[in-house]
């Protein structure tokens, strides 16, 4: 990914597939100017979904990161970023 991130204008896709938003938030924010799409999966999906007001039941959520996730999503909208979440969430 480093090679692609140094070439502005080239569409780049990145994916994050782990449980904790807190350990990846700095990387997510640094990618704001480097990718066009981001796939969010794993347990961190629920923190982002909750930040959008979507009920996640008893799923793993980092409640202290919900506001941060909301800010990242707002920046993504500003930059016309595309977020992809799993389509089937149980």
């Amino acid at each position: 990914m480093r090679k692609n991130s140094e070439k502005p204008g080239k569409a780049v896709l990145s994916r994050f597939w782990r449980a904790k938003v807190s350990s990846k938030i700095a990387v997510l924010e640094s990618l704001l100017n480097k990718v066009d799409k981001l796939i969010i999966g794993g347990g961190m999906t629920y923190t982002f979904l909750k930040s959008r007001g979507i009920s996640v039941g008893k799923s793993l959520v980092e409640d202290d990161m919900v506001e941060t996730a909301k800010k990242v999503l707002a920046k993504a909208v500003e930059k016309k970023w595309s977020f992809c979440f799993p389509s089937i969430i149980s």
Side-chain angles (χ1 to χ4, degrees), residues 15-65:
R15 74 142 181 93
F16 284 82
W17 214 274
R18 298 308 244 167
K20 296 180 80 177
V21 175
S22 57
S23 64
K24 287 149 200 81
I25 198 68
V27 175
L28 288 171
E29 289 178 329
S30 74
L31 288 173
L32 281 173
N33 294 314
K34 298 175 183 167
V35 300
D36 297 321
K37 288 189 178 187
L38 181 66
I39 298 172
I40 300 274
M44 68 189 303
T45 301
Y46 300 106
T47 301
F48 278 91
L49 292 175
K50 186 171 182 178
S51 79
R52 297 178 73 193
I54 298 169
S55 175
V56 295
K58 294 182 180 181
S59 298
L60 177 67
V61 172
E62 283 186 274
D63 286 316
D64 59 328
M65 295 303 294

